[in-house]
Amino acid sequence: MAPASAPRRISERKPRERRVKPIRLALLGCGTVGEGVVRLMRRNAAMFERRLGAPLELAGVADRSLKPIPELGLDKSLIVRDGAALVERPDVDIVIELFGGHEPARTLILKALAAGKDVVTANKALLAENSAEIFGAAAKAGLAVGFEASVGGGVPIIRTLREALAGDRQRAVYGIVNGTCNSILSMMTESGCEFADALREAQRAGLAEADPTLDIEGHDAAHKLCLLVTLAFGVRLEPRDVYTEGISRLTLADIKYARELGYVVKLLAIAKDDDGAIEARVHPTMVPARHLLAGVSGAYNAIYIHGEALGASMYFGLGAGQMPTATAVMADVLETARHRVAGARGAGAHALGYPMPHLKRARVKPMDDVVCEYYLRFMARDQPGVLGAIASILGRNGISIVSVLQQGRGVETTVPVIMRTHEARERNLKRALKAIGRLRMVAGDPAFIRIEERL
Ligand code: HSE
């Protein structure tokens, strides 16, 4: 009989836990969104560690005006004045840029990439104007630039377009991507106030900046549209390629007439791929009241996309604010950190959904060639022949009328004449309005709003 082998000694000691190297973050700017990021890091620390298999740690915060916030665990030792030194520190893995604006954000992002750090940013203006430079530097270095927070705040539209819809060819994108404008337009529509009063109320409620120009003149939406166009159509667009018209000249009267005709006025960022010619425009738009986009009110954002195979889909949520935007920043941090933990390289090569060398400048369709339906308002004398004169100018320019509505009666004064047209080319419409504006019986410049009937 073979001798029984000696029982093996089972160690009572637990195997030594391998300390996983933490992923360390540098935060540039700790304003509203930055504070939200710090709050999420604290609140969800254990969950993030479980998701990653490594803890996330804050290595430093660059913010000149920041006071220590003890309840956030943000003590004095973390706060630094010199962002440039912070982004190059060897103990930093990922740089979160929340300064906004151009400089020093651009220089610090490029410095961070040159030093081998991945970057997460919410800076749509910077990315829209410098996409080739920033994404090019990231791709060359094999590093990531996460920018989910730059469009739609908490609405995960960047990943959706880049990943979830990548199997389809996109035809059109319609976005309510500026919460300030959407809040103002909702107030005008629902409370019946004029633009200036709605803007003041939005500023009082913290929904509009003290200087609201970037938002109300449509520039913020145009920046966001540039990024959406690249992700949707695989071409690069610069803000100057986007026809941009804000909401500051909209009158309550036109919003009310639009309602009577069955429409709601929204600031839409619209992009269409017309056989390789890219239509990109931001302007007040009449949307049928029954359409999903018409029901998106207040600070909410929504992006409605037409895919060739999928058809229509819509993505909705809060487009700004501390915690919604911070969730988008953290999603990028986690994705980037996951790559770091796995030792993967090259995460940034396709940040825009295509290898950088494949992203050519878009062939942009001139605004004059855009075709849509129009709402028109003329202030005209209520006398025989007025309608005929207006209709005949429209007719001579190839513009066909769908309906006419005259409000009130006034022989001495002028009355509003409202018209809706069939599809017409922008060039023809502008030419016709110029001629109508010269008629003696028409006062002031005609008003017009573009209609998206078939979105
Ligand atoms: N100012 C933007 C808005 C939020 O009103 O939607 C940041 O993109």
Side-chain angles (χ1 to χ4, degrees), residues 374-388:
Y374 294 88
Y375 156 98
L376 312 176
R377 175 176 53 78
F378 309 101
M379 297 305 294
R381 284 195 181 280
D382 188 10
Q383 62 190 49
V386 176
L387 277 184

PDB file of all heavy atoms in Angstrom, residues 374-388:
ATOM      1  N   TYR A 374     -41.429  78.458 -45.644  1.00  0.00           N
ATOM      2  CA  TYR A 374     -41.252  79.689 -44.862  1.00  0.00           C
ATOM      3  C   TYR A 374     -42.568  80.204 -44.300  1.00  0.00           C
ATOM      4  O   TYR A 374     -43.626  80.086 -44.935  1.00  0.00           O
ATOM      5  CB  TYR A 374     -40.652  80.802 -45.737  1.00  0.00           C
ATOM      6  CG  TYR A 374     -39.241  80.513 -46.192  1.00  0.00           C
ATOM      7  CD1 TYR A 374     -39.017  79.804 -47.374  1.00  0.00           C
ATOM      8  CD2 TYR A 374     -38.153  80.930 -45.451  1.00  0.00           C
ATOM      9  CE1 TYR A 374     -37.730  79.523 -47.802  1.00  0.00           C
ATOM     10  CE2 TYR A 374     -36.853  80.653 -45.878  1.00  0.00           C
ATOM     11  CZ  TYR A 374     -36.652  79.957 -47.048  1.00  0.00           C
ATOM     12  OH  TYR A 374     -35.384  79.674 -47.462  1.00  0.00           O
ATOM     13  N   TYR A 375     -42.426  80.824 -43.132  1.00  0.00           N
ATOM     14  CA  TYR A 375     -43.486  81.657 -42.554  1.00  0.00           C
ATOM     15  C   TYR A 375     -43.070  83.091 -42.862  1.00  0.00           C
ATOM     16  O   TYR A 375     -41.899  83.467 -42.652  1.00  0.00           O
ATOM     17  CB  TYR A 375     -43.526  81.410 -41.043  1.00  0.00           C
ATOM     18  CG  TYR A 375     -44.111  82.536 -40.213  1.00  0.00           C
ATOM     19  CD1 TYR A 375     -45.440  82.503 -39.791  1.00  0.00           C
ATOM     20  CD2 TYR A 375     -43.316  83.618 -39.799  1.00  0.00           C
ATOM     21  CE1 TYR A 375     -45.959  83.526 -38.999  1.00  0.00           C
ATOM     22  CE2 TYR A 375     -43.837  84.642 -39.014  1.00  0.00           C
ATOM     23  CZ  TYR A 375     -45.149  84.588 -38.628  1.00  0.00           C
ATOM     24  OH  TYR A 375     -45.674  85.602 -37.854  1.00  0.00           O
ATOM     25  N   LEU A 376     -43.979  83.898 -43.372  1.00  0.00           N
ATOM     26  CA  LEU A 376     -43.667  85.297 -43.685  1.00  0.00           C
ATOM     27  C   LEU A 376     -44.664  86.208 -42.984  1.00  0.00           C
ATOM     28  O   LEU A 376     -45.843  85.868 -42.855  1.00  0.00           O
ATOM     29  CB  LEU A 376     -43.771  85.556 -45.196  1.00  0.00           C
ATOM     30  CG  LEU A 376     -43.066  84.567 -46.138  1.00  0.00           C
ATOM     31  CD1 LEU A 376     -43.367  84.927 -47.593  1.00  0.00           C
ATOM     32  CD2 LEU A 376     -41.553  84.608 -45.900  1.00  0.00           C
ATOM     33  N   ARG A 377     -44.177  87.360 -42.502  1.00  0.00           N
ATOM     34  CA  ARG A 377     -45.112  88.368 -41.963  1.00  0.00           C
ATOM     35  C   ARG A 377     -44.749  89.729 -42.545  1.00  0.00           C
ATOM     36  O   ARG A 377     -43.597  90.150 -42.490  1.00  0.00           O
ATOM     37  CB  ARG A 377     -45.060  88.434 -40.433  1.00  0.00           C
ATOM     38  CG  ARG A 377     -45.945  89.569 -39.886  1.00  0.00           C
ATOM     39  CD  ARG A 377     -46.006  89.610 -38.373  1.00  0.00           C
ATOM     40  NE  ARG A 377     -44.705  89.647 -37.746  1.00  0.00           N
ATOM     41  CZ  ARG A 377     -43.934  90.733 -37.644  1.00  0.00           C
ATOM     42  NH1 ARG A 377     -44.331  91.895 -38.157  1.00  0.00           N
ATOM     43  NH2 ARG A 377     -42.763  90.658 -37.036  1.00  0.00           N
ATOM     44  N   PHE A 378     -45.767  90.358 -43.120  1.00  0.00           N
ATOM     45  CA  PHE A 378     -45.606  91.712 -43.654  1.00  0.00           C
ATOM     46  C   PHE A 378     -46.522  92.636 -42.867  1.00  0.00           C
ATOM     47  O   PHE A 378     -47.654  92.259 -42.544  1.00  0.00           O
ATOM     48  CB  PHE A 378     -46.024  91.768 -45.127  1.00  0.00           C
ATOM     49  CG  PHE A 378     -45.384  90.703 -45.963  1.00  0.00           C
ATOM     50  CD1 PHE A 378     -46.088  89.553 -46.308  1.00  0.00           C
ATOM     51  CD2 PHE A 378     -44.069  90.838 -46.385  1.00  0.00           C
ATOM     52  CE1 PHE A 378     -45.498  88.563 -47.072  1.00  0.00           C
ATOM     53  CE2 PHE A 378     -43.476  89.842 -47.153  1.00  0.00           C
ATOM     54  CZ  PHE A 378     -44.186  88.708 -47.496  1.00  0.00           C
ATOM     55  N   MET A 379     -46.063  93.841 -42.555  1.00  0.00           N
ATOM     56  CA  MET A 379     -46.951  94.847 -41.971  1.00  0.00           C
ATOM     57  C   MET A 379     -47.400  95.714 -43.143  1.00  0.00           C
ATOM     58  O   MET A 379     -46.615  96.481 -43.702  1.00  0.00           O
ATOM     59  CB  MET A 379     -46.211  95.682 -40.918  1.00  0.00           C
ATOM     60  CG  MET A 379     -45.720  94.864 -39.721  1.00  0.00           C
ATOM     61  SD  MET A 379     -47.032  93.907 -38.898  1.00  0.00           S
ATOM     62  CE  MET A 379     -48.065  95.201 -38.237  1.00  0.00           C
ATOM     63  N   ALA A 380     -48.677  95.538 -43.526  1.00  0.00           N
ATOM     64  CA  ALA A 380     -49.133  96.164 -44.774  1.00  0.00           C
ATOM     65  C   ALA A 380     -50.368  97.019 -44.539  1.00  0.00           C
ATOM     66  O   ALA A 380     -51.145  96.773 -43.616  1.00  0.00           O
ATOM     67  CB  ALA A 380     -49.448  95.070 -45.789  1.00  0.00           C
ATOM     68  N   ARG A 381     -50.525  98.034 -45.407  1.00  0.00           N
ATOM     69  CA  ARG A 381     -51.760  98.830 -45.362  1.00  0.00           C
ATOM     70  C   ARG A 381     -52.902  97.949 -45.843  1.00  0.00           C
ATOM     71  O   ARG A 381     -52.734  97.171 -46.786  1.00  0.00           O
ATOM     72  CB  ARG A 381     -51.639 100.046 -46.289  1.00  0.00           C
ATOM     73  CG  ARG A 381     -50.778 101.105 -45.689  1.00  0.00           C
ATOM     74  CD  ARG A 381     -50.969 102.433 -46.432  1.00  0.00           C
ATOM     75  NE  ARG A 381     -50.109 103.422 -45.832  1.00  0.00           N
ATOM     76  CZ  ARG A 381     -50.409 104.071 -44.715  1.00  0.00           C
ATOM     77  NH1 ARG A 381     -51.548 103.847 -44.090  1.00  0.00           N
ATOM     78  NH2 ARG A 381     -49.570 104.942 -44.214  1.00  0.00           N
ATOM     79  N   ASP A 382     -54.050  98.091 -45.181  1.00  0.00           N
ATOM     80  CA  ASP A 382     -55.200  97.260 -45.507  1.00  0.00           C
ATOM     81  C   ASP A 382     -55.958  97.921 -46.663  1.00  0.00           C
ATOM     82  O   ASP A 382     -56.970  98.567 -46.465  1.00  0.00           O
ATOM     83  CB  ASP A 382     -56.071  97.154 -44.239  1.00  0.00           C
ATOM     84  CG  ASP A 382     -57.192  96.159 -44.421  1.00  0.00           C
ATOM     85  OD1 ASP A 382     -57.178  95.447 -45.423  1.00  0.00           O
ATOM     86  OD2 ASP A 382     -58.068  96.106 -43.547  1.00  0.00           O
ATOM     87  N   GLN A 383     -55.441  97.808 -47.850  1.00  0.00           N
ATOM     88  CA  GLN A 383     -56.097  98.452 -48.996  1.00  0.00           C
ATOM     89  C   GLN A 383     -56.052  97.538 -50.220  1.00  0.00           C
ATOM     90  O   GLN A 383     -55.217  96.613 -50.275  1.00  0.00           O
ATOM     91  CB  GLN A 383     -55.436  99.804 -49.294  1.00  0.00           C
ATOM     92  CG  GLN A 383     -53.979  99.708 -49.669  1.00  0.00           C
ATOM     93  CD  GLN A 383     -53.294 101.078 -49.720  1.00  0.00           C
ATOM     94  OE1 GLN A 383     -53.411 101.880 -48.802  1.00  0.00           O
ATOM     95  NE2 GLN A 383     -52.588 101.332 -50.812  1.00  0.00           N
ATOM     96  N   PRO A 384     -56.965  97.777 -51.168  1.00  0.00           N
ATOM     97  CA  PRO A 384     -57.040  96.857 -52.313  1.00  0.00           C
ATOM     98  C   PRO A 384     -55.697  96.765 -53.038  1.00  0.00           C
ATOM     99  O   PRO A 384     -54.985  97.752 -53.171  1.00  0.00           O
ATOM    100  CB  PRO A 384     -58.095  97.509 -53.223  1.00  0.00           C
ATOM    101  CG  PRO A 384     -58.862  98.422 -52.344  1.00  0.00           C
ATOM    102  CD  PRO A 384     -57.953  98.865 -51.244  1.00  0.00           C
ATOM    103  N   GLY A 385     -55.362  95.576 -53.454  1.00  0.00           N
ATOM    104  CA  GLY A 385     -54.162  95.389 -54.279  1.00  0.00           C
ATOM    105  C   GLY A 385     -52.924  94.994 -53.504  1.00  0.00           C
ATOM    106  O   GLY A 385     -51.919  94.585 -54.090  1.00  0.00           O
ATOM    107  N   VAL A 386     -52.969  95.108 -52.144  1.00  0.00           N
ATOM    108  CA  VAL A 386     -51.754  94.811 -51.369  1.00  0.00           C
ATOM    109  C   VAL A 386     -51.374  93.336 -51.521  1.00  0.00           C
ATOM    110  O   VAL A 386     -50.245  93.004 -51.875  1.00  0.00           O
ATOM    111  CB  VAL A 386     -51.961  95.135 -49.871  1.00  0.00           C
ATOM    112  CG1 VAL A 386     -50.731  94.734 -49.074  1.00  0.00           C
ATOM    113  CG2 VAL A 386     -52.235  96.598 -49.687  1.00  0.00           C
ATOM    114  N   LEU A 387     -52.371  92.493 -51.260  1.00  0.00           N
ATOM    115  CA  LEU A 387     -52.078  91.055 -51.329  1.00  0.00           C
ATOM    116  C   LEU A 387     -51.614  90.663 -52.718  1.00  0.00           C
ATOM    117  O   LEU A 387     -50.694  89.867 -52.891  1.00  0.00           O
ATOM    118  CB  LEU A 387     -53.311  90.240 -50.953  1.00  0.00           C
ATOM    119  CG  LEU A 387     -53.553  90.034 -49.447  1.00  0.00           C
ATOM    120  CD1 LEU A 387     -54.751  89.129 -49.233  1.00  0.00           C
ATOM    121  CD2 LEU A 387     -52.325  89.439 -48.784  1.00  0.00           C
ATOM    122  N   GLY A 388     -52.289  91.260 -53.720  1.00  0.00           N
ATOM    123  CA  GLY A 388     -51.939  90.953 -55.112  1.00  0.00           C
ATOM    124  C   GLY A 388     -50.493  91.331 -55.400  1.00  0.00           C
ATOM    125  O   GLY A 388     -49.747  90.561 -56.020  1.00  0.00           O
TER     126      GLY A 388
END
